[in-house]
Each structure stands twice: as structure tokens, then as C-alpha cells.
Amino acid sequence: MGKIRISLLAKELGVKSNLLIDRCHEKGLTHITHHANTLIPEQAEMIRQLFKPSAKEVVSAKEASKVKEPIVLHETEHKKDDKTVLQTGSGIKVVQPTKIVRIPKSPPQPQRIVKVPPTKTFWKKRPQAVAPAKRRDHTAEVIEIKKPAVKEKETKIVMEPPITVKDLSSKLGIRANEIITKLLLEHNVRSTINQILTEEIVQLLGIEYGVEIEIKKKEIAAERDFIAEQVSTRIEDLVYRAPIVTFLGHVDHGKTSLLDSIRQTDVAADEVGGITQHIGAYKVEMNGKHVVFLDTPGHEAFTAMRARGANITDVVVLVVAADDGVMPQTEEALNHAKAANVPIVVALNKIDKPSANPLRVKQQLANLELIPEEWGGKTQFVETSAVTKKGITALLERLLLESEILELKANPRNPARGVVLEAHLSEGRGVVANVLIQDGSLRQGDIVLCGKTYGRARLITNDRGIEVQEAGPSTPVSVSDFSEVPEAGDKFYVVGDIQKAREIALERQKKERETSLAKYQHVTLDSLYSKIAEGKVKEIKVILKADYKGSVEVLKKALEELSTSEIKVKILHCGVGGITESDVLLADASDAIVIGFYVTTEDKARILAEDKGVDIRLYKIIYDATNEIKAAMEGMLEPESKEVVLGQVEIRHVYRISKFGNVAGCYVKTGKITRNSSVRLIRDNIIIYDGKLESLKIVKDDVKEVRAGFECGLIVANYNDIKTGDIVEAYEVQKVARFLTV
């Protein structure tokens, strides 16, 4: 048996280590001062003997354990403040170290005295009276601690736009500061915690963090679902529908008068009141077929609807006065029609006037890429007169022929779908929306979802103010009872459940509030490079306004000549005069830049441009405009990579070093070699390796470069097959800016 520590011996004897150390000192073992000290077996046994009770004490303790009667102290030794009543039956044992307890026995036997050592004093609480069956066995009880389940990292998440840095941080479980830093350092995107991110950036971050992010647009999915449930595409259900025609042209060229002649009304004589004027759409019958005419209040409404994606027009009639010719608003109207990508029919109006010159007008329009059919073009020209009714029938026949070519069809059995032309709040009827049905049939009582509003079609009136129970495709009607006033250009649908209509409308309102800070960013000269890099722009669209016609032509030609095979400059519209709201609306719808030369911007147009994010640039020198556009385009051109040879180095000796591999002792013959330059290893005029340097030294010192006439040592990175006589050619690739070539 080996040595035993004081701490282990104390534990064995059931006493404290300090008491054991004191007993060791009493026995002369003064070297024992710490509980980690050890005793030899003989010394340990000596200490054990000190704590063993005598034989009498053992016998007395056994007899005391058999006593069932209460044990009390002798009357002469009883003290008032001492707790001396001991009830062994109930488990109480209160013993004072210096007190003598007499154990009563049977009368013939003498009393025995038990003296309890101080170290054996124990205190126990009185146990509560608990049924034995309910007592808990603490020695047998095992408490099982379950560890919380570790949540597995998600590999795919679904998010709805708009997505902010905060939303992405919550979904990915990554701190927002880390995402913001990553965007700035790796993607050159400055953002805040509430910044709305593009879908491309969100998906790219998901790939980098190892999570597939699916962007789900809830509103579009809901709209697609309820449309798919109702729309029938069976060929046998499709029927002919009337073409929708819009009249555009310059002021006072006879658009309204021509419409009056067609629909046999006199709106031009009285521009006040009447449901027909408010609806702005009219249906005309000819030979059993119908044509619907839109009377838009200027080009702004036409462009606003197209900007909202409501391309409801099938054919555009460009009205040009034969005696006046092409005017600024005529060109503007033509550009609107081209941007909408719809067929154009030219109506040469006022042909009855003596000063009419249709040939001159055709030549002017031919210069604007509207070439008549008789000249080998594709544009139909019709000579009309609102006064003599000349050409009205021919114009209608042309429109019907155009509709047959387009093969316009719809299904009247489907629930109605269409577009809001305009809406207003009526004092007697509440919210009234003037709509044009494009497909299906609208009936009284139908539940209508329209943009961010919904309602029930309680009252339907046609273009002449007559109440109707049902309206089919290509029919303009007025519908009452919406929850809110819809916007022009909003699409409307008939749905079967008003609860579904309410949910979708509320969801759209919520999305509009969330995306109010994430408006569409139009192209500007400053953002042109990033747009091209993303592949979103292949041409620069420009709206040009100048003070004189000559300035317009010169600037237009100068800008168009900047076009290259990689990027084009396209003039959408050019005219004389200041920049108006119409110009801003056209730029907003077409994502164009507005350039003004020696003109100003109207206050309303400037406010609208700020709201829409349209870029307006004003110049007083033509070359400033062309140079700025040219600089923006040159900044977008990919720079050319040009290889420049820095120098040649001859390997004169190869040293084999186990730690570094083959080290070349060299002599710089021409030029220089730098530490960061690329190198080619040439042997017998053949390039055998192309790579980088791992080390460049002169003697034992690292250097950045070594020039001709000096010796150096170098190591070629990841290549050891070098030989004496090899040539190391140092070179670098330089990026050279490209310039536009005329």
C-alpha cells in the first residue's frame, strides 16, 4: 500500500482536512501543512486510530439505538434555553457536545453514560407526515436532461419583394452589418439596413451564403390564378371583336370634328356635359361591324396608360391637316404611336380647303418614315373632310381591313377583363369608372377587382348614357360602386368571390406602400454604364427639344452619328420649344433621356421629372451635349487589353535548394523585370510556360525590380523545369481606353 494524501484520508474518516492536519501536528508530524501532503501507511494508520471510538462507546451507541422511549437530561443538568428533549421515534436527535445524556433502562440495571464526541454532531429536520407511497427515493431518481435539438440550416427560402437588408438578414440568420459590408466591398453597392435590394443582388447573396432564394411575387401569382380559373381559350368560343382606334394629331387639325362626323354627334360644338364626353370612347357600327374610337384628352393620357402597361389601342389614326402639314405635335403624336408599336393610318383632314396640299404632307411624313402605299411603303393614307363627310366611309373600311389583318378575337363567355380609361367621384353615383372591356362580358352584379380597389357593378351605362344589363368585348361602359377611385390605365377583372377581391386589393395597397421607396430607376447619363453592364440597355433613347428647327436637325444628326455597333443613339422625339409634361411622360414610358438646347423646363414638367426620376439635361452649346453623350458612351466601352514587354532575362545558372526548389541565377539583358510582372519561359524560341514570379532577389535581399545590366535570382511560381540558357521574358497587360470611331 502506497502513500495517501491528507485530503483522501479526511474524506475516508469523514472529517475536515484542517482537523486532520491538527492531529498530525499533535503526533509530531509537523511537515504536514497542506491537504495535498502525503502520509506513509504507518503514519496514516496512526491517525486512523485517533478517530476510532472505544469499545464501550460502540456498545453504548448500539444500546442507545434500541431505546424507543424519549431521552431526557437529568433534572439537575436541565437548562431553560437548551433544546434537550430528544424524541428518537420521530427522528429528532439534538446533542450538545459537553452534555451528559442518561439512558434509562429497566430498574434493576444501573444507568450508563454515553459521551458523544463533538465531531459526530448532526442536525436533521423533522420530516413531514407524508404517506410512504408518495415519498421520493432520491437515491434512485435519475433526472434526464434533454439537449435542445439543433436546427438544421435551411438550404432554400422563399421571399416576397420588396426585400430589404433587414429582411434578408432575418431570413439568412446573418447580421445586417455583415451583409452591408459584403455589398460594399464585394459588389460596390452602398446600402442601409432598410435599403431595398434588387432581385439579382438578393439571389447573388443567396448563392454566396449557400442558400437558394426563391423570389415569389404573391400578387402576380394570385392574379394569374384567378384569371386562369375563368379564362377559356377554346377556339370555338372565340368571336370577332371590334378594333379599338385612337385619334392623335396636332391641335386644331380636326380630330374631334372628324370623330363627330364618324359617330354623327356634335361634341366639338358643345364641349360641356354628356356621358359620351366623360367616357372618352365611342362605338360606331358599319355594315354590321363595329369600330371603337378612343377620344383621349391629349397625348399625356395616351402615354400614361401605355406607361402602366395598358396597351389597349389596336390602331392609331394620325390626323394631319392637309393645308397645315406636319407640325410639332404631329411629330410628337407619331413618336407616341411608334413607341406603342401599333399600326398607323394617316387621315389627311381638311382636304376640302383650297390651300390643301396632300402631296406636300405625304413628303413630310415620308421623311418621318411614314411612306404611303402608292410610294412603295406600308402606311395607308386616307383623304378626309369633316365638313363634306368625304373619306369617312373609306376611313372606316380601312380600319375594318386593318382589324381583319390583326385577327382581333375575344371570348364573350369569359368573365370581363379590360382597362380603366378614367374615373371620378360622382355626387349621386359615388365612384364611377369609365372602362373598356377587352375580353369577356360584364353583367350587372358582377364583382369587379380594379387595381387597388374593388366593388360590385351595380349600374352599367353605355357610351350614350343608356343603362345596360350586359356588355361584351370591345365595349366602352361606365361602372358604378367601387370602394376607391381607380387610376387611368388600371386593369380590371371580374372575380367570383368578393372576399378574394378584397384580399387582393388590400395586398396591392400594401405592396404599393412598401415599394414607394423603390421606384423604378430610369436611365441617366450617370447610371448608363451600370445599365449597359447589366445588359439592360443596348441603345440610348433621347428626347430632343431645341429653340429653333435648324438647331434640332443639327443636334439630332450629331447625336445619331455617335452610334456604334455596340451601342446606338435613338432619337424618340424631337421638337421646337420648352420641355413639357408630355416630354417627361414620354421619357418615363420609354426610359429615355431628355436633352434641351437653349430651352427651359416648365415648372410642372420639372416637378414631374423629379417624381418620375427622368433625367433632363440642358445645354447652350451643341458640342457640350454631344461630348457628354460621347463621354458616357466611351465610358461604357470595354477597354482593350494591350500586352507590353518589360524586358528579357537570361538564366545562367540553376541552383537546387531543397526548401525552395530550383532557383535561377540570372542576368537582365534588356529592359527590366519586376516582382509583380507576368513571365514567359522561352526555350529554343518556344514558350514552354507562362505564369508569375514567386520571388525576385539580389543576393539575399527581396527587390521590387531589377534593371538591365544587373544580376538577380528568381523563382518561377509553380514551375521547376528551368535550365541554363532559358530566357525569362517579363511583360504586363495594360488596359487601354477605347474611343468612339466615326
Side-chain angles (χ1 to χ4, degrees):
M1 186 175 181
K3 295 181 180 181
I4 184 171
R5 287 187 179 183
I6 293 295
S7 58
L8 296 178
L9 183 59
K11 185 176 181 181
E12 175 187 334
L13 298 175
V15 297
K16 293 184 178 180
S17 298
N18 292 337
L19 180 61
L20 204 62
I21 293 173
D22 293 340
R23 293 291 182 269
C24 291
H25 290 174
E26 292 175 2
K27 292 297 182 179
L29 304 175
T30 56
H31 67 281
I32 303 299
T33 59
H34 194 264
H35 63 83
N37 296 142
T38 59
L39 297 173
I40 61 177
E42 294 78 6
Q43 294 172 342
E45 185 62 28
M46 179 180 64
I47 298 300
R48 287 191 185 97
Q49 295 298 327
L50 296 177
F51 290 92
K52 285 186 177 181
S54 61
K56 292 182 178 181
E57 291 176 345
V58 174
V59 173
S60 299
K62 289 182 179 179
E63 292 179 355
S65 63
K66 299 179 181 178
V67 178
K68 298 182 180 180
E69 297 82 11
I71 301 175
V72 296
L73 292 175
H74 196 269
E75 295 179 359
T76 58
E77 298 179 355
H78 180 72
K79 292 184 180 180
K80 184 177 182 179
D81 297 332
D82 294 337
K83 298 178 181 179
T84 56
V85 179
L86 305 180
Q87 296 180 3
T88 57
S90 59
I92 295 179
K93 184 177 183 182
V94 181
V95 182
Q96 295 293 336
T98 59
K99 295 185 184 299
I100 299 175
V101 181
R102 293 181 178 179
I103 303 175
K105 299 294 288 185
S106 57
Q109 296 181 356
Q111 295 182 351
R112 296 179 182 179
I113 299 173
V114 179
K115 188 175 182 180
V116 183
T119 56
K120 293 297 182 178
T121 302
F122 297 96
W123 296 79
K124 293 185 179 181
K125 293 183 180 180
R126 181 189 297 272
Q128 297 180 357
V130 182
K134 293 185 179 180
R135 291 186 179 182
R136 300 176 64 184
D137 186 3
H138 294 281
T139 59
E141 182 178 3
V142 178
I143 301 175
E144 183 179 356
I145 301 176
K146 295 183 179 180
K147 296 183 179 180
V150 180
K151 185 178 180 181
E152 296 184 359
K153 183 179 178 181
E154 296 183 3
T155 58
K156 183 177 181 180
I157 59 176
V158 180
M159 302 188 72
E160 295 181 13
I163 302 172
T164 63
V165 174
K166 183 178 180 180
D167 298 335
L168 192 62
S169 171
S170 176
K171 281 287 187 180
L172 296 178
I174 299 171
R175 295 182 61 185
N177 290 343
E178 181 181 339
I179 297 177
I180 293 172
T181 305
K182 189 178 189 67
L183 288 172
L184 180 62
L185 298 180
E186 299 183 14
H187 302 284
N188 196 25
V189 176
R190 297 178 180 272
S191 62
T192 62
I193 192 170
N194 294 319
Q195 181 78 33
I196 296 177
L197 304 175
T198 62
E199 295 183 7
E200 294 79 5
I201 287 292
V202 170
Q203 292 178 341
L204 184 59
L205 288 173
I207 294 173
E208 293 177 353
Y209 285 115
V211 179
E212 181 183 353
I213 300 178
E214 179 184 351
I215 299 176
K216 187 177 181 181
K217 299 180 180 179
K218 183 177 180 180
E219 178 183 341
I220 296 177
E223 180 178 298
R224 184 181 64 246
D225 290 344
F226 74 75
I227 292 176
E229 293 174 359
Q230 305 174 55
V231 174
S232 172
T233 56
R234 294 191 304 175
I235 299 177
E236 56 269 22
D237 293 336
L238 298 177
V239 298
Y240 166 82
R241 73 167 178 85
I244 301 170
V245 181
T246 300
F247 274 54
L248 296 176
H250 190 69
V251 176
D252 199 28
H253 275 205
K255 298 188 298 296
T256 306
S257 299
L258 197 58
L259 272 172
D260 288 340
S261 300
I262 292 173
R263 66 194 180 205
Q264 297 179 358
T265 59
D266 195 11
V267 176
D270 186 7
E271 291 286 346
V272 181
I275 188 67
T276 54
Q277 184 177 358
H278 289 302
I279 287 184
Y282 315 91
K283 201 168 188 177
V284 177
E285 183 178 356
M286 179 183 178
N287 299 331
K289 293 185 178 181
H290 294 85
V291 178
V292 178
F293 294 94
L294 291 185
D295 190 7
T296 59
H299 308 142
E300 291 84 356
F302 182 85
T303 308
M305 285 192 293
R306 183 170 60 84
R308 292 189 180 97
N311 294 325
I312 60 175
T313 302
D314 299 318
V315 182
V316 166
V317 175
L318 183 64
V319 180
V320 185
D323 62 333
D324 202 5
V326 175
M327 300 299 288
Q329 275 194 320
T330 307
E331 292 188 44
E332 183 181 344
L334 176 60
N335 292 325
H336 280 256
K338 287 182 177 179
N341 194 25
V342 294
I344 300 173
V345 176
V346 178
L348 296 176
N349 200 26
K350 301 184 180 181
I351 198 68
D352 57 310
K353 287 194 173 184
S355 58
N357 188 352
L359 181 60
R360 180 174 66 91
V361 177
K362 289 181 180 181
Q363 290 175 342
Q364 291 175 338
L365 292 175
N367 294 332
L368 297 176
E369 300 178 356
L370 284 183
I371 303 174
E373 288 183 336
E374 58 267 26
W375 292 4
K378 297 181 180 179
T379 306
Q380 301 180 21
F381 281 69
V382 181
E383 297 180 357
T384 61
S385 173
V387 177
T388 64
K389 312 296 183 184
K390 178 183 178 181
I392 301 297
T393 303
L395 179 60
L396 292 174
E397 291 176 351
R398 288 283 188 178
L399 295 175
L400 291 174
L401 177 62
E402 193 71 34
S403 66
E404 291 178 2
I405 296 174
L406 295 174
E407 296 183 353
L408 303 174
K409 292 184 179 182
N411 184 1
R413 297 185 179 182
N414 284 332
R417 294 186 293 119
V419 177
V420 176
L421 300 177
E422 62 178 1
H424 63 281
L425 187 61
S426 175
E427 185 176 348
R429 299 171 59 188
V431 178
V432 179
N434 302 326
V435 303
L436 179 64
I437 302 173
Q438 295 176 293
D439 188 25
S441 297
L442 179 65
R443 301 171 181 85
Q444 282 193 359
D446 284 346
I447 300 167
V448 180
L449 172 66
C450 182
K452 303 181 293 295
T453 182
Y454 66 97
R456 193 181 294 273
R458 300 191 184 277
L459 179 63
I460 304 175
T461 54
N462 63 12
D463 58 338
R464 298 184 180 274
I466 302 173
E467 182 179 350
V468 294
Q469 298 295 320
E470 182 178 347
S474 296
T475 304
V477 293
S478 176
V479 183
S480 301
D481 195 21
F482 283 93
S483 59
E484 295 179 9
V485 179
E487 297 183 9
D490 282 347
K491 298 178 181 180
F492 79 89
Y493 307 91
V494 170
V495 296
D497 184 7
I498 193 168
Q499 182 64 28
K500 180 184 291 186
R502 182 186 294 110
E503 291 177 358
I504 296 175
L506 293 176
E507 183 69 22
R508 289 176 175 177
Q509 293 176 13
K510 178 183 176 183
K511 291 295 182 183
E512 185 184 37
R513 288 193 299 268
E514 291 176 347
T515 56
S516 59
L517 298 177
K519 293 182 178 179
Y520 178 74
Q521 300 294 324
H522 289 288
V523 171
T524 64
L525 291 183
D526 300 326
S527 66
L528 202 53
Y529 175 76
S530 60
K531 295 286 186 181
I532 287 287
E534 294 171 4
K536 295 182 179 179
V537 177
K538 294 182 180 179
E539 60 185 7
I540 303 177
K541 298 176 183 178
V542 176
I543 295 173
L544 182 61
K545 299 298 287 289
D547 54 347
Y548 291 101
K549 186 69 175 179
S551 301
V552 171
E553 296 299 330
V554 172
L555 194 54
K556 178 183 177 183
K557 183 178 180 181
L559 292 176
E560 288 178 341
E561 288 177 350
L562 295 176
S563 299
T564 66
S565 58
E566 297 180 50
I567 180 169
K568 305 289 184 182
V569 177
K570 183 177 181 180
I571 308 297
L572 286 183
H573 169 66
C574 57
V576 177
I579 298 172
T580 63
E581 289 182 273
S582 177
D583 299 323
V584 175
L585 285 171
L586 179 58
D588 176 48
S590 306
D591 202 11
I593 300 168
V594 182
I595 292 179
F597 178 73
Y598 244 100
V599 295
T600 58
T601 306
E602 294 179 357
D603 291 339
K604 292 183 179 179
R606 184 174 60 255
I607 295 172
L608 183 62
E610 292 175 357
D611 181 57
K612 299 291 185 181
V614 174
D615 188 20
I616 298 178
R617 299 294 178 108
L618 302 177
Y619 303 96
K620 292 185 177 180
I621 301 175
I622 289 180
Y623 296 110
D624 288 345
T626 56
N627 289 339
E628 192 163 340
I629 296 290
K630 183 178 179 181
M633 295 173 64
E634 287 177 345
M636 296 181 301
L637 296 175
E638 282 290 331
E640 292 181 351
S641 298
K642 185 178 180 181
E643 189 179 287
V644 179
V645 177
L646 300 178
Q648 287 191 338
V649 180
E650 181 184 358
I651 298 178
R652 294 189 172 181
H653 193 78
V654 177
Y655 301 93
R656 177 64 182 175
I657 301 176
S658 59
K659 186 177 180 181
F660 301 103
N662 289 339
V663 178
C666 307
Y667 176 78
V668 183
K669 297 174 62 178
T670 60
K672 65 178 181 178
I673 183 171
T674 64
R675 173 67 181 82
N676 298 325
S677 61
S678 300
V679 294
R680 298 190 191 94
L681 189 63
I682 302 174
R683 184 179 300 164
D684 299 330
N685 296 324
I686 297 174
I687 300 174
I688 60 174
Y689 182 73
D690 195 330
K692 287 280 190 180
L693 288 180
E694 183 177 325
S695 176
L696 179 64
K697 293 187 178 184
I698 294 180
V699 189
K700 294 183 179 180
D701 298 327
D702 290 316
V703 292
K704 292 183 178 180
E705 68 175 39
V706 182
R707 295 187 174 273
F710 290 89
E711 294 181 344
C712 63
L714 59 85
I715 299 176
V716 181
N718 302 320
Y719 193 78
N720 271 328
D721 185 19
I722 57 177
K723 296 181 179 180
T724 303
D726 290 348
I727 300 296
V728 178
E729 185 177 72
Y731 71 95
E732 64 181 7
V733 178
Q734 298 178 352
K735 299 292 184 179
V736 181
R738 294 171 58 194
F739 299 95
L740 295 176
T741 56
V742 181

